[in-house]
Amino acid sequence: QTSPTTATMEKATQFLDYVSSQEEAVLTYNASEMILATHSDASYLCEPNARSRAGGHFFLSNNDPFPANNGAILNIAQIIKNVMTSAAEAELAALYINAREAVYIRLILEQLGHPQPPTPIQTDNSTAEGVINSKIQPKRTKAMDMRFHWLRDRETLKQFRFYWRPGRLNYADYWTKHHPAAHHRNFRPEILSSPSVITELNQRKKAVSARVC
């Protein structure tokens, strides 16, 4: 901040208070088939100047219809530059942003010796999913054309697989909104492990190993 204000100091103090009062965050990765999976979401008109926010949750899982969540390898939280005219357009923009990120991650995984099927990308907007999968044919807004044609083309090339699931099962939702403290506390265990939990698990593993021996 080149021109800090009292509001800046209040936010910095709040952040430092949070860091000092929370346990160290532990990101846990479970063994998997190293298949890239993505959750995509958007929050419509939630930012100043009629802007929307895009969120993404990237993780490595198994080649299943609905890949199980794993430790995140990338999370995206960014304001969409252009003004979106509808929630569906915002969701398409978020899908476009996340799919572009997934392209190079797929290439890295393949170069490391992990062949990738069409990358599953989950959305909670049925209209956006319908547009991409050619179930719905939009009749207006050329602003949407480039994004959904690019997404359709990539799906045709078997690079991506787009599917719908309810919002409560979409981990990208967390990164698109300004949540109250209670929601952060409730959601934190979904994406992070606390040191006390890790210690307890290690103790259980040692106890099991001792009984086996």
Side-chain angles (χ1 to χ4, degrees):
Q1 284 282 345
T2 56
S3 302
T5 64
T6 54
T8 306
M9 179 59 72
E10 289 175 1
K11 291 179 180 179
T13 302
Q14 182 182 16
F15 172 73
L16 292 173
D17 287 343
Y18 172 82
V19 172
S20 65
S21 62
Q22 296 295 317
E23 288 187 301
E24 182 180 356
V26 177
L27 195 56
T28 304
Y29 295 98
N30 298 303
S32 71
E33 297 173 358
M34 299 292 285
I35 302 300
L36 177 64
T38 304
H39 289 189
S40 177
D41 193 34
S43 184
Y44 179 54
L45 299 184
C46 65
E47 298 293 337
N49 300 318
R51 295 304 196 273
S52 302
R53 180 179 289 274
H57 177 66
F58 296 71
F59 57 98
L60 300 177
S61 189
N62 299 320
N63 190 15
D64 297 325
F66 304 123
N69 185 47
N70 203 347
I73 61 170
L74 174 66
N75 286 119
I76 288 177
Q78 73 175 69
I79 296 174
I80 301 171
K81 183 172 69 172
N82 300 319
V83 176
M84 301 290 101
T85 59
S86 67
E89 186 177 357
E91 294 284 353
L92 281 168
L95 285 164
Y96 175 71
I97 290 168
N98 288 308
R100 286 185 61 186
E101 290 291 327
V103 170
Y104 75 84
I105 300 176
R106 283 174 52 89
L107 291 174
I108 292 171
L109 289 167
E110 288 173 349
Q111 289 296 317
L112 290 172
H114 302 290
Q116 298 294 301
T119 297
I121 301 183
Q122 178 177 315
T123 178
D124 60 5
N125 187 282
S126 58
T127 300
E129 186 268 337
V131 167
I132 296 170
N133 289 325
S134 302
K135 301 174 185 175
I136 300 173
Q137 182 61 47
K139 294 183 179 179
R140 64 182 191 88
T141 67
K142 285 190 176 181
M144 293 172 64
D145 288 354
M146 184 275 290
R147 294 188 185 97
F148 77 68
H149 282 305
W150 187 90
L151 293 166
R152 276 182 177 176
D153 288 347
R154 296 293 173 137
E155 185 174 49
T156 301
L157 294 171
K158 305 297 183 183
Q159 197 168 40
F160 299 118
R161 171 176 66 85
F162 299 95
Y163 67 99
W164 176 90
R165 293 197 86 189
R168 59 185 173 80
L169 301 176
N170 192 320
Y171 283 79
D173 176 77
Y174 182 69
W175 310 101
T176 62
K177 300 172 181 66
H178 300 283
H179 299 288
H183 183 76
H184 289 293
R185 286 192 295 268
N186 291 334
F187 190 77
R188 183 182 170 99
E190 296 288 334
I191 55 175
L192 296 172
S193 302
S194 67
S196 58
V197 171
I198 299 298
T199 301
E200 182 181 350
L201 289 174
N202 288 334
Q203 290 173 346
R204 289 181 182 179
K205 289 179 180 178
K206 289 179 180 178
V208 171
S209 298
R211 287 199 296 269
V212 171
C213 294

